[in-house]
Structure formats: C-alpha cells, structure tokens
PDB file of all heavy atoms in Angstrom:
ATOM      1  N   THR L   2     242.073 123.083  92.603  1.00  0.00           N
ATOM      2  CA  THR L   2     242.472 122.153  91.545  1.00  0.00           C
ATOM      3  C   THR L   2     243.542 122.707  90.619  1.00  0.00           C
ATOM      4  O   THR L   2     244.313 121.939  90.045  1.00  0.00           O
ATOM      5  CB  THR L   2     241.257 121.714  90.708  1.00  0.00           C
ATOM      6  OG1 THR L   2     240.579 122.875  90.197  1.00  0.00           O
ATOM      7  CG2 THR L   2     240.287 120.897  91.550  1.00  0.00           C
ATOM      8  N   TYR L   3     243.617 124.040  90.473  1.00  0.00           N
ATOM      9  CA  TYR L   3     244.676 124.567  89.622  1.00  0.00           C
ATOM     10  C   TYR L   3     246.055 124.261  90.205  1.00  0.00           C
ATOM     11  O   TYR L   3     247.058 124.243  89.488  1.00  0.00           O
ATOM     12  CB  TYR L   3     244.502 126.067  89.368  1.00  0.00           C
ATOM     13  CG  TYR L   3     244.274 126.934  90.591  1.00  0.00           C
ATOM     14  CD1 TYR L   3     245.315 127.264  91.463  1.00  0.00           C
ATOM     15  CD2 TYR L   3     243.015 127.448  90.865  1.00  0.00           C
ATOM     16  CE1 TYR L   3     245.102 128.065  92.569  1.00  0.00           C
ATOM     17  CE2 TYR L   3     242.787 128.260  91.964  1.00  0.00           C
ATOM     18  CZ  TYR L   3     243.830 128.563  92.819  1.00  0.00           C
ATOM     19  OH  TYR L   3     243.624 129.356  93.936  1.00  0.00           O
ATOM     20  N   ASP L   4     246.126 124.018  91.527  1.00  0.00           N
ATOM     21  CA  ASP L   4     247.394 123.653  92.163  1.00  0.00           C
ATOM     22  C   ASP L   4     247.554 122.145  92.371  1.00  0.00           C
ATOM     23  O   ASP L   4     248.675 121.647  92.516  1.00  0.00           O
ATOM     24  CB  ASP L   4     247.521 124.346  93.523  1.00  0.00           C
ATOM     25  CG  ASP L   4     247.952 125.804  93.423  1.00  0.00           C
ATOM     26  OD1 ASP L   4     248.530 126.177  92.389  1.00  0.00           O
ATOM     27  OD2 ASP L   4     247.699 126.567  94.369  1.00  0.00           O
ATOM     28  N   THR L   5     246.440 121.410  92.429  1.00  0.00           N
ATOM     29  CA  THR L   5     246.521 119.974  92.759  1.00  0.00           C
ATOM     30  C   THR L   5     246.460 119.049  91.551  1.00  0.00           C
ATOM     31  O   THR L   5     246.948 117.922  91.611  1.00  0.00           O
ATOM     32  CB  THR L   5     245.374 119.556  93.702  1.00  0.00           C
ATOM     33  OG1 THR L   5     244.114 119.652  93.005  1.00  0.00           O
ATOM     34  CG2 THR L   5     245.339 120.423  94.951  1.00  0.00           C
ATOM     35  N   HIS L   6     245.858 119.501  90.434  1.00  0.00           N
ATOM     36  CA  HIS L   6     245.602 118.608  89.300  1.00  0.00           C
ATOM     37  C   HIS L   6     246.834 118.541  88.405  1.00  0.00           C
ATOM     38  O   HIS L   6     247.183 119.504  87.724  1.00  0.00           O
ATOM     39  CB  HIS L   6     244.398 119.118  88.512  1.00  0.00           C
ATOM     40  CG  HIS L   6     243.865 118.138  87.523  1.00  0.00           C
ATOM     41  ND1 HIS L   6     242.928 118.472  86.573  1.00  0.00           N
ATOM     42  CD2 HIS L   6     244.124 116.817  87.319  1.00  0.00           C
ATOM     43  CE1 HIS L   6     242.626 117.417  85.845  1.00  0.00           C
ATOM     44  NE2 HIS L   6     243.356 116.399  86.275  1.00  0.00           N
ATOM     45  N   ILE L   7     247.477 117.401  88.396  1.00  0.00           N
ATOM     46  CA  ILE L   7     248.749 117.234  87.699  1.00  0.00           C
ATOM     47  C   ILE L   7     248.707 115.950  86.845  1.00  0.00           C
ATOM     48  O   ILE L   7     247.842 115.095  87.034  1.00  0.00           O
ATOM     49  CB  ILE L   7     249.931 117.168  88.694  1.00  0.00           C
ATOM     50  CG1 ILE L   7     249.598 116.296  89.919  1.00  0.00           C
ATOM     51  CG2 ILE L   7     250.277 118.578  89.190  1.00  0.00           C
ATOM     52  CD1 ILE L   7     249.725 114.844  89.747  1.00  0.00           C
ATOM     53  N   PRO L   8     249.634 115.809  85.902  1.00  0.00           N
ATOM     54  CA  PRO L   8     249.658 114.589  85.083  1.00  0.00           C
ATOM     55  C   PRO L   8     250.343 113.436  85.807  1.00  0.00           C
ATOM     56  O   PRO L   8     251.249 113.647  86.615  1.00  0.00           O
ATOM     57  CB  PRO L   8     250.468 115.008  83.857  1.00  0.00           C
ATOM     58  CG  PRO L   8     251.373 116.088  84.354  1.00  0.00           C
ATOM     59  CD  PRO L   8     250.610 116.808  85.433  1.00  0.00           C
ATOM     60  N   ILE L   9     249.878 112.237  85.543  1.00  0.00           N
ATOM     61  CA  ILE L   9     250.620 111.014  85.872  1.00  0.00           C
ATOM     62  C   ILE L   9     250.542 110.125  84.646  1.00  0.00           C
ATOM     63  O   ILE L   9     249.457 109.744  84.205  1.00  0.00           O
ATOM     64  CB  ILE L   9     250.054 110.268  87.093  1.00  0.00           C
ATOM     65  CG1 ILE L   9     250.212 111.091  88.373  1.00  0.00           C
ATOM     66  CG2 ILE L   9     250.755 108.916  87.251  1.00  0.00           C
ATOM     67  CD1 ILE L   9     249.676 110.394  89.629  1.00  0.00           C
ATOM     68  N   ILE L  10     251.699 109.820  84.072  1.00  0.00           N
ATOM     69  CA  ILE L  10     251.787 108.953  82.903  1.00  0.00           C
ATOM     70  C   ILE L  10     252.862 107.903  83.153  1.00  0.00           C
ATOM     71  O   ILE L  10     253.971 108.225  83.584  1.00  0.00           O
ATOM     72  CB  ILE L  10     252.156 109.743  81.630  1.00  0.00           C
ATOM     73  CG1 ILE L  10     251.163 110.887  81.393  1.00  0.00           C
ATOM     74  CG2 ILE L  10     252.203 108.829  80.416  1.00  0.00           C
ATOM     75  CD1 ILE L  10     251.586 111.826  80.270  1.00  0.00           C
ATOM     76  N   PHE L  11     252.535 106.651  82.888  1.00  0.00           N
ATOM     77  CA  PHE L  11     253.512 105.561  82.894  1.00  0.00           C
ATOM     78  C   PHE L  11     253.700 105.076  81.464  1.00  0.00           C
ATOM     79  O   PHE L  11     252.737 104.988  80.688  1.00  0.00           O
ATOM     80  CB  PHE L  11     253.044 104.407  83.786  1.00  0.00           C
ATOM     81  CG  PHE L  11     253.337 104.591  85.247  1.00  0.00           C
ATOM     82  CD1 PHE L  11     252.550 105.413  86.024  1.00  0.00           C
ATOM     83  CD2 PHE L  11     254.428 103.953  85.836  1.00  0.00           C
ATOM     84  CE1 PHE L  11     252.818 105.596  87.376  1.00  0.00           C
ATOM     85  CE2 PHE L  11     254.710 104.125  87.182  1.00  0.00           C
ATOM     86  CZ  PHE L  11     253.906 104.946  87.954  1.00  0.00           C
ATOM     87  N   PHE L  12     254.945 104.739  81.128  1.00  0.00           N
ATOM     88  CA  PHE L  12     255.284 104.391  79.742  1.00  0.00           C
ATOM     89  C   PHE L  12     256.442 103.404  79.751  1.00  0.00           C
ATOM     90  O   PHE L  12     257.363 103.523  80.564  1.00  0.00           O
ATOM     91  CB  PHE L  12     255.692 105.668  78.991  1.00  0.00           C
ATOM     92  CG  PHE L  12     256.295 105.455  77.633  1.00  0.00           C
ATOM     93  CD1 PHE L  12     255.500 105.448  76.504  1.00  0.00           C
ATOM     94  CD2 PHE L  12     257.664 105.274  77.491  1.00  0.00           C
ATOM     95  CE1 PHE L  12     256.062 105.261  75.238  1.00  0.00           C
ATOM     96  CE2 PHE L  12     258.236 105.091  76.241  1.00  0.00           C
ATOM     97  CZ  PHE L  12     257.432 105.080  75.107  1.00  0.00           C
ATOM     98  N   GLY L  13     256.413 102.426  78.849  1.00  0.00           N
ATOM     99  CA  GLY L  13     257.568 101.565  78.676  1.00  0.00           C
ATOM    100  C   GLY L  13     257.272 100.103  78.872  1.00  0.00           C
ATOM    101  O   GLY L  13     256.134  99.639  78.683  1.00  0.00           O
ATOM    102  N   SER L  14     258.289  99.368  79.269  1.00  0.00           N
ATOM    103  CA  SER L  14     258.219  97.913  79.368  1.00  0.00           C
ATOM    104  C   SER L  14     257.086  97.448  80.279  1.00  0.00           C
ATOM    105  O   SER L  14     257.022  97.815  81.455  1.00  0.00           O
ATOM    106  CB  SER L  14     259.557  97.379  79.914  1.00  0.00           C
ATOM    107  OG  SER L  14     259.508  95.988  80.108  1.00  0.00           O
ATOM    108  N   GLY L  15     256.182  96.645  79.725  1.00  0.00           N
ATOM    109  CA  GLY L  15     255.091  96.068  80.510  1.00  0.00           C
ATOM    110  C   GLY L  15     253.946  97.008  80.803  1.00  0.00           C
ATOM    111  O   GLY L  15     252.991  96.628  81.471  1.00  0.00           O
ATOM    112  N   ILE L  16     254.014  98.252  80.306  1.00  0.00           N
ATOM    113  CA  ILE L  16     252.946  99.229  80.547  1.00  0.00           C
ATOM    114  C   ILE L  16     251.984  99.217  79.363  1.00  0.00           C
ATOM    115  O   ILE L  16     252.370  99.530  78.231  1.00  0.00           O
ATOM    116  CB  ILE L  16     253.514 100.647  80.745  1.00  0.00           C
ATOM    117  CG1 ILE L  16     254.570 100.665  81.858  1.00  0.00           C
ATOM    118  CG2 ILE L  16     252.379 101.627  81.039  1.00  0.00           C
ATOM    119  CD1 ILE L  16     254.066 100.281  83.215  1.00  0.00           C
ATOM    120  N   ASN L  17     250.750  98.862  79.610  1.00  0.00           N
ATOM    121  CA  ASN L  17     249.753  98.837  78.556  1.00  0.00           C
ATOM    122  C   ASN L  17     249.292 100.251  78.206  1.00  0.00           C
ATOM    123  O   ASN L  17     249.311 101.150  79.040  1.00  0.00           O
ATOM    124  CB  ASN L  17     248.543  98.006  78.975  1.00  0.00           C
ATOM    125  CG  ASN L  17     248.890  96.536  79.160  1.00  0.00           C
ATOM    126  OD1 ASN L  17     249.711  95.997  78.418  1.00  0.00           O
ATOM    127  ND2 ASN L  17     248.275  95.900  80.132  1.00  0.00           N
ATOM    128  N   GLN L  18     248.850 100.418  76.962  1.00  0.00           N
ATOM    129  CA  GLN L  18     248.315 101.706  76.545  1.00  0.00           C
ATOM    130  C   GLN L  18     246.910 101.878  77.094  1.00  0.00           C
ATOM    131  O   GLN L  18     246.122 100.936  77.128  1.00  0.00           O
ATOM    132  CB  GLN L  18     248.289 101.786  75.014  1.00  0.00           C
ATOM    133  CG  GLN L  18     247.981 103.152  74.445  1.00  0.00           C
ATOM    134  CD  GLN L  18     246.502 103.496  74.403  1.00  0.00           C
ATOM    135  OE1 GLN L  18     245.650 102.603  74.364  1.00  0.00           O
ATOM    136  NE2 GLN L  18     246.199 104.781  74.434  1.00  0.00           N
ATOM    137  N   GLY L  19     246.609 103.078  77.565  1.00  0.00           N
ATOM    138  CA  GLY L  19     245.263 103.312  78.065  1.00  0.00           C
ATOM    139  C   GLY L  19     245.133 104.642  78.774  1.00  0.00           C
ATOM    140  O   GLY L  19     246.100 105.392  78.931  1.00  0.00           O
ATOM    141  N   LYS L  20     243.932 104.918  79.215  1.00  0.00           N
ATOM    142  CA  LYS L  20     243.631 106.149  79.952  1.00  0.00           C
ATOM    143  C   LYS L  20     242.630 105.839  81.049  1.00  0.00           C
ATOM    144  O   LYS L  20     241.823 104.912  80.925  1.00  0.00           O
ATOM    145  CB  LYS L  20     243.053 107.219  79.025  1.00  0.00           C
ATOM    146  CG  LYS L  20     244.019 107.768  77.990  1.00  0.00           C
ATOM    147  CD  LYS L  20     243.336 108.789  77.099  1.00  0.00           C
ATOM    148  CE  LYS L  20     244.334 109.458  76.159  1.00  0.00           C
ATOM    149  NZ  LYS L  20     244.963 108.500  75.232  1.00  0.00           N
ATOM    150  N   SER L  21     242.680 106.618  82.117  1.00  0.00           N
ATOM    151  CA  SER L  21     241.721 106.476  83.204  1.00  0.00           C
ATOM    152  C   SER L  21     241.349 107.858  83.710  1.00  0.00           C
ATOM    153  O   SER L  21     242.213 108.744  83.802  1.00  0.00           O
ATOM    154  CB  SER L  21     242.311 105.643  84.348  1.00  0.00           C
ATOM    155  OG  SER L  21     241.444 105.654  85.471  1.00  0.00           O
ATOM    156  N   VAL L  22     240.056 108.017  84.052  1.00  0.00           N
ATOM    157  CA  VAL L  22     239.615 109.268  84.675  1.00  0.00           C
ATOM    158  C   VAL L  22     239.316 109.047  86.156  1.00  0.00           C
ATOM    159  O   VAL L  22     238.742 109.924  86.810  1.00  0.00           O
ATOM    160  CB  VAL L  22     238.376 109.854  83.958  1.00  0.00           C
ATOM    161  CG1 VAL L  22     238.736 110.254  82.541  1.00  0.00           C
ATOM    162  CG2 VAL L  22     237.210 108.864  83.971  1.00  0.00           C
ATOM    163  N   ARG L  23     239.700 107.894  86.667  1.00  0.00           N
ATOM    164  CA  ARG L  23     239.529 107.632  88.100  1.00  0.00           C
ATOM    165  C   ARG L  23     240.374 108.615  88.901  1.00  0.00           C
ATOM    166  O   ARG L  23     241.496 108.928  88.533  1.00  0.00           O
ATOM    167  CB  ARG L  23     239.953 106.190  88.419  1.00  0.00           C
ATOM    168  CG  ARG L  23     239.768 105.787  89.882  1.00  0.00           C
ATOM    169  CD  ARG L  23     240.003 104.276  90.054  1.00  0.00           C
ATOM    170  NE  ARG L  23     241.384 103.901  89.818  1.00  0.00           N
ATOM    171  CZ  ARG L  23     242.324 103.842  90.755  1.00  0.00           C
ATOM    172  NH1 ARG L  23     242.028 104.182  92.009  1.00  0.00           N
ATOM    173  NH2 ARG L  23     243.557 103.467  90.464  1.00  0.00           N
ATOM    174  N   ASN L  24     239.819 109.100  90.000  1.00  0.00           N
ATOM    175  CA  ASN L  24     240.567 110.012  90.863  1.00  0.00           C
ATOM    176  C   ASN L  24     241.672 109.251  91.588  1.00  0.00           C
ATOM    177  O   ASN L  24     241.403 108.316  92.336  1.00  0.00           O
ATOM    178  CB  ASN L  24     239.624 110.662  91.883  1.00  0.00           C
ATOM    179  CG  ASN L  24     240.324 111.727  92.697  1.00  0.00           C
ATOM    180  OD1 ASN L  24     241.123 111.413  93.567  1.00  0.00           O
ATOM    181  ND2 ASN L  24     240.029 112.976  92.418  1.00  0.00           N
ATOM    182  N   VAL L  25     242.907 109.622  91.326  1.00  0.00           N
ATOM    183  CA  VAL L  25     244.053 108.986  91.970  1.00  0.00           C
ATOM    184  C   VAL L  25     244.911 110.072  92.600  1.00  0.00           C
ATOM    185  O   VAL L  25     244.771 111.258  92.308  1.00  0.00           O
ATOM    186  CB  VAL L  25     244.876 108.143  90.971  1.00  0.00           C
ATOM    187  CG1 VAL L  25     244.015 107.034  90.364  1.00  0.00           C
ATOM    188  CG2 VAL L  25     245.477 109.020  89.871  1.00  0.00           C
ATOM    189  N   ALA L  26     245.819 109.659  93.477  1.00  0.00           N
ATOM    190  CA  ALA L  26     246.628 110.618  94.238  1.00  0.00           C
ATOM    191  C   ALA L  26     248.103 110.486  93.897  1.00  0.00           C
ATOM    192  O   ALA L  26     248.585 109.419  93.494  1.00  0.00           O
ATOM    193  CB  ALA L  26     246.423 110.410  95.742  1.00  0.00           C
ATOM    194  N   ILE L  27     248.823 111.572  94.099  1.00  0.00           N
ATOM    195  CA  ILE L  27     250.258 111.600  93.816  1.00  0.00           C
ATOM    196  C   ILE L  27     251.007 110.541  94.616  1.00  0.00           C
ATOM    197  O   ILE L  27     252.015 109.996  94.159  1.00  0.00           O
ATOM    198  CB  ILE L  27     250.823 113.010  94.100  1.00  0.00           C
ATOM    199  CG1 ILE L  27     252.203 113.180  93.467  1.00  0.00           C
ATOM    200  CG2 ILE L  27     250.858 113.304  95.589  1.00  0.00           C
ATOM    201  CD1 ILE L  27     252.191 113.216  91.963  1.00  0.00           C
ATOM    202  N   ILE L  28     250.494 110.219  95.803  1.00  0.00           N
ATOM    203  CA  ILE L  28     251.175 109.248  96.665  1.00  0.00           C
ATOM    204  C   ILE L  28     251.007 107.823  96.168  1.00  0.00           C
ATOM    205  O   ILE L  28     251.574 106.886  96.760  1.00  0.00           O
ATOM    206  CB  ILE L  28     250.690 109.361  98.124  1.00  0.00           C
ATOM    207  CG1 ILE L  28     249.179 109.080  98.221  1.00  0.00           C
ATOM    208  CG2 ILE L  28     251.047 110.717  98.704  1.00  0.00           C
ATOM    209  CD1 ILE L  28     248.661 109.025  99.652  1.00  0.00           C
ATOM    210  N   ASP L  29     250.264 107.619  95.065  1.00  0.00           N
ATOM    211  CA  ASP L  29     250.082 106.283  94.509  1.00  0.00           C
ATOM    212  C   ASP L  29     251.241 105.858  93.610  1.00  0.00           C
ATOM    213  O   ASP L  29     251.355 104.681  93.256  1.00  0.00           O
ATOM    214  CB  ASP L  29     248.776 106.207  93.711  1.00  0.00           C
ATOM    215  CG  ASP L  29     247.540 106.410  94.576  1.00  0.00           C
ATOM    216  OD1 ASP L  29     247.625 106.151  95.790  1.00  0.00           O
ATOM    217  OD2 ASP L  29     246.500 106.839  94.037  1.00  0.00           O
ATOM    218  N   ILE L  30     252.098 106.805  93.221  1.00  0.00           N
ATOM    219  CA  ILE L  30     253.181 106.486  92.283  1.00  0.00           C
ATOM    220  C   ILE L  30     254.195 105.526  92.905  1.00  0.00           C
ATOM    221  O   ILE L  30     254.555 104.498  92.299  1.00  0.00           O
ATOM    222  CB  ILE L  30     253.880 107.771  91.802  1.00  0.00           C
ATOM    223  CG1 ILE L  30     252.935 108.575  90.908  1.00  0.00           C
ATOM    224  CG2 ILE L  30     255.168 107.446  91.052  1.00  0.00           C
ATOM    225  CD1 ILE L  30     253.487 109.916  90.467  1.00  0.00           C
ATOM    226  N   ALA L  31     254.683 105.828  94.095  1.00  0.00           N
ATOM    227  CA  ALA L  31     255.719 104.994  94.721  1.00  0.00           C
ATOM    228  C   ALA L  31     255.235 103.569  94.990  1.00  0.00           C
ATOM    229  O   ALA L  31     255.956 102.606  94.680  1.00  0.00           O
ATOM    230  CB  ALA L  31     256.236 105.653  96.000  1.00  0.00           C
ATOM    231  N   PRO L  32     254.037 103.364  95.560  1.00  0.00           N
ATOM    232  CA  PRO L  32     253.556 101.992  95.732  1.00  0.00           C
ATOM    233  C   PRO L  32     253.416 101.246  94.406  1.00  0.00           C
ATOM    234  O   PRO L  32     253.643 100.031  94.342  1.00  0.00           O
ATOM    235  CB  PRO L  32     252.200 102.172  96.417  1.00  0.00           C
ATOM    236  CG  PRO L  32     252.318 103.464  97.143  1.00  0.00           C
ATOM    237  CD  PRO L  32     253.141 104.328  96.244  1.00  0.00           C
ATOM    238  N   THR L  33     253.038 101.955  93.354  1.00  0.00           N
ATOM    239  CA  THR L  33     252.948 101.331  92.028  1.00  0.00           C
ATOM    240  C   THR L  33     254.312 100.824  91.583  1.00  0.00           C
ATOM    241  O   THR L  33     254.450  99.701  91.080  1.00  0.00           O
ATOM    242  CB  THR L  33     252.398 102.342  91.001  1.00  0.00           C
ATOM    243  OG1 THR L  33     251.108 102.774  91.422  1.00  0.00           O
ATOM    244  CG2 THR L  33     252.311 101.725  89.621  1.00  0.00           C
ATOM    245  N   LEU L  34     255.337 101.647  91.781  1.00  0.00           N
ATOM    246  CA  LEU L  34     256.694 101.238  91.419  1.00  0.00           C
ATOM    247  C   LEU L  34     257.158 100.049  92.259  1.00  0.00           C
ATOM    248  O   LEU L  34     257.837  99.149  91.759  1.00  0.00           O
ATOM    249  CB  LEU L  34     257.659 102.416  91.575  1.00  0.00           C
ATOM    250  CG  LEU L  34     257.464 103.561  90.577  1.00  0.00           C
ATOM    251  CD1 LEU L  34     258.275 104.780  91.007  1.00  0.00           C
ATOM    252  CD2 LEU L  34     257.868 103.130  89.170  1.00  0.00           C
ATOM    253  N   SER L  35     256.782 100.036  93.532  1.00  0.00           N
ATOM    254  CA  SER L  35     257.128  98.898  94.391  1.00  0.00           C
ATOM    255  C   SER L  35     256.556  97.602  93.831  1.00  0.00           C
ATOM    256  O   SER L  35     257.229  96.565  93.795  1.00  0.00           O
ATOM    257  CB  SER L  35     256.596  99.114  95.815  1.00  0.00           C
ATOM    258  OG  SER L  35     257.301 100.130  96.470  1.00  0.00           O
ATOM    259  N   MET L  36     255.300  97.649  93.385  1.00  0.00           N
ATOM    260  CA  MET L  36     254.670  96.449  92.837  1.00  0.00           C
ATOM    261  C   MET L  36     255.284  96.060  91.491  1.00  0.00           C
ATOM    262  O   MET L  36     255.489  94.879  91.210  1.00  0.00           O
ATOM    263  CB  MET L  36     253.164  96.684  92.676  1.00  0.00           C
ATOM    264  CG  MET L  36     252.422  96.978  93.968  1.00  0.00           C
ATOM    265  SD  MET L  36     252.555  95.654  95.203  1.00  0.00           S
ATOM    266  CE  MET L  36     253.593  96.476  96.442  1.00  0.00           C
ATOM    267  N   LEU L  37     255.594  97.053  90.658  1.00  0.00           N
ATOM    268  CA  LEU L  37     256.210  96.766  89.360  1.00  0.00           C
ATOM    269  C   LEU L  37     257.579  96.121  89.521  1.00  0.00           C
ATOM    270  O   LEU L  37     257.962  95.235  88.748  1.00  0.00           O
ATOM    271  CB  LEU L  37     256.347  98.052  88.537  1.00  0.00           C
ATOM    272  CG  LEU L  37     255.067  98.642  87.930  1.00  0.00           C
ATOM    273  CD1 LEU L  37     255.359 100.009  87.313  1.00  0.00           C
ATOM    274  CD2 LEU L  37     254.490  97.701  86.869  1.00  0.00           C
TER     275      LEU L  37
END
C-alpha cells in the first residue's frame, strides 16, 4: 500500500464537494473523464 495508495481528487465545474472511502482504482479516472 505504500506504493499503491495515491490521491484522486476532482475539482471544478460540475464537481460536487465530498469524500469517499470506497476502494477505487487508478484506471477509473479515464472512464470518468469520458462520461464527464
């Protein structure tokens, strides 16, 4: 985990404020951008 646990933060237009402790993966960023 010292090598795998990294931040993911989205900020700006249409992004709501909030936090999640759900386990998510780095590969989820690009599909999120596709949907946005």
Side-chain angles (χ1 to χ4, degrees):
T2 55
Y3 50 76
D4 281 339
T5 67
H6 193 191
I7 42 81
I9 294 181
I10 304 172
F11 277 78
F12 170 92
S14 176
I16 306 298
N17 295 324
Q18 190 278 335
K20 292 178 174 62
S21 172
V22 295
R23 182 171 67 91
N24 186 286
V25 300
I27 195 69
I28 61 174
D29 296 336
I30 291 175
T33 301
L34 292 168
S35 290
M36 299 301 111
L37 286 172

